[in-house]
Amino acid sequence: MSFTITGTGSCLPALSVHNNDFVGIVETSDEWISTRTGIRRRHFLKEESLRQIAAEAARRALEDSGTDAAKIDLILCATVQGEDVSPSLACLVQEDLGAGCPAFDMNAGCTGFLYALDTAAAYFRAGMAEHILIVCAEQLSRFLDWKDRSTCVLFGDGAGAVVLSKGDSLLAVQIGARGQRENLNIPGLSASGPFWDEAEARGSLIHMNGREIFKFAVTTVQNEIETSVRKAGIAVDDVDYFLLHQANGRIIESARTRLHQPEEKFPVNYAECGNTSSASIPVLLDELNRNRRLRKGDTLLLCAFGAGLTWGSCVIRWNKD
């Protein structure tokens, strides 16, 4: 026994920032950004809070599923960091929904959704849950270095959610990690107080070696896809849609070319959303669901990579009516 996705939801901040809006902030242009990444817009939290969009995405997923919040047995929230160090974002979402189940955050960088799916699968196999809510919510705009044109134009804020119920739609899932800090990190806060030397103030800003992360991503995505389809007992050609982490158009196109698959099998939304970290796949999944592009029986392959370094993939049969 594994699970079936019974509902999806997403919520993007109202503020939409075009590439041209970065002109004058850093040395860049719409052409420079779009030709290198494919990104043209992204959403930033301004009027809303991360908690608000996380809870709204969760509500929409519950409504789509037809599941009452009181029936949820576990809330998993994937996030680089919630608004507070404590309490967890998952606990705040639980309060907003009026649920009464256990709730906790997990941080696997951009791979958070796949880590949450793997964790949920274990709960279902152990018979510990009937319904699980996964919420992926990110506010990466808090960590952007506005002097670094190679990173500040890449990321956006957003939230995506799914409701999982007992079922047999999960065909394969795998996650992995290789601990490494130097190529992608966000430093934490420095200690201060009477028992420490005065620490130099530092911001929690994203540091990324784009070239190394690109090479890691291209290799990882191909390997993960090929391994997942073997575990699921299917061929690459049997996959109806590849839902990849929406980090960069060049990475997705590279994977598509290497796998010899048609463009229509790789839906994307990075042009309008940018890289929303763990939220990118559930937001894309919700778009496909709401636009009725998914048919019952479709085979979906999800794959992501992120800071950690982490990676993960899964094969799911879409059994939602």
Side-chain angles (χ1 to χ4, degrees):
M1 179 64 66
S2 60
F3 61 72
T4 292
I5 296 176
T6 58
T8 68
S10 63
C11 185
L12 298 174
L15 177 62
S16 179
V17 178
H18 190 273
N19 289 345
N20 287 328
D21 296 324
F22 285 89
V23 177
I25 298 174
V26 289
E27 184 181 350
T28 192
S29 67
D30 177 41
E31 181 183 11
W32 190 91
I33 299 169
S34 60
T35 56
R36 287 164 174 79
T37 68
I39 298 169
R40 292 193 176 276
R41 293 183 180 272
R42 74 286 293 146
H43 297 261
F44 289 151
L45 283 165
K46 182 180 180 182
E47 303 299 329
E48 316 94 331
S49 68
L50 183 62
R51 175 180 181 173
Q52 286 173 330
I53 66 168
E56 183 59 28
R59 289 189 192 98
R60 293 174 183 177
L62 289 168
E63 181 181 8
D64 185 50
S65 172
T67 304
D68 189 270
K71 293 184 178 180
I72 296 297
D73 300 303
L74 176 67
I75 297 175
L76 297 173
C77 185
T79 184
V80 170
Q81 183 179 314
E83 291 176 330
D84 302 304
V85 174
S86 186
S88 70
L89 183 59
C91 284
L92 299 179
V93 169
Q94 184 234 49
E95 179 184 20
D96 291 344
L97 297 178
C101 59
F104 63 87
D105 288 356
M106 56 197 316
N107 179 4
C110 299
T111 319
F113 185 50
L114 275 301
Y115 268 64
L117 289 174
D118 184 69
T119 301
Y123 271 82
F124 284 115
R125 285 195 302 269
M128 296 172 62
E130 298 281 337
H131 307 284
I132 293 178
L133 172 64
I134 294 177
V135 184
C136 301
E138 304 286 11
Q139 188 178 359
L140 294 178
S141 58
R142 289 179 294 172
F143 307 114
L144 297 180
D145 181 352
W146 300 103
K147 297 178 181 179
D148 181 7
R149 70 170 184 169
S150 66
T151 58
C152 72
V153 301
L154 300 178
F155 298 95
D157 303 335
V162 297
V163 175
L164 308 178
S165 300
K166 289 177 66 175
D168 57 2
S169 296
L170 180 65
L171 305 184
V173 62
Q174 58 187 16
I175 56 175
R178 172 167 55 87
Q180 185 214 81
R181 185 180 188 278
E182 56 267 26
N183 286 325
L184 180 55
N185 68 82
I186 303 174
L189 298 175
S190 303
S192 62
F195 303 106
W196 292 270
D197 293 334
E198 198 67 32
E200 182 180 352
R202 65 182 184 187
S204 293
L205 303 178
I206 294 174
H207 297 272
M208 183 173 72
N209 183 329
R211 180 171 297 180
E212 291 302 314
I213 293 300
F214 181 86
K215 290 191 294 185
F216 160 71
V218 168
T219 302
T220 298
V221 167
Q222 181 178 3
N223 291 342
E224 282 294 295
I225 289 175
E226 292 174 346
T227 302
S228 284
V229 295
R230 284 199 302 270
K231 288 182 67 174
I234 62 174
V236 172
D237 290 344
D238 295 328
V239 176
D240 294 293
Y241 289 108
F242 296 85
L243 277 61
L244 307 187
H245 172 42
Q246 302 290 292
N248 184 307
R250 291 169 57 211
I251 295 172
I252 295 173
E253 181 60 21
S254 175
R256 186 189 72 81
T257 302
R258 290 181 177 212
L259 294 167
H260 307 290
Q261 295 297 304
E263 188 174 354
E264 57 266 24
K265 284 191 175 186
F266 288 75
V268 296
N269 65 5
Y270 57 80
E272 296 299 316
C273 297
N275 180 348
T276 56
S277 189
S278 68
S280 73
I281 293 178
V283 168
L284 178 61
L285 181 64
D286 184 50
E287 289 182 11
L288 296 175
N289 179 32
R290 304 278 169 170
N291 293 331
R292 301 186 181 278
R293 290 183 60 184
L294 301 177
R295 298 169 299 177
K296 189 171 183 178
D298 278 351
T299 300
L300 313 181
L301 193 148
L302 284 53
C303 183
F305 52 89
L309 297 167
T310 61
W311 57 86
S313 59
C314 71
V315 180
I316 295 176
R317 196 85 71 196
W318 184 256
N319 284 325
K320 187 177 184 300
D321 291 323

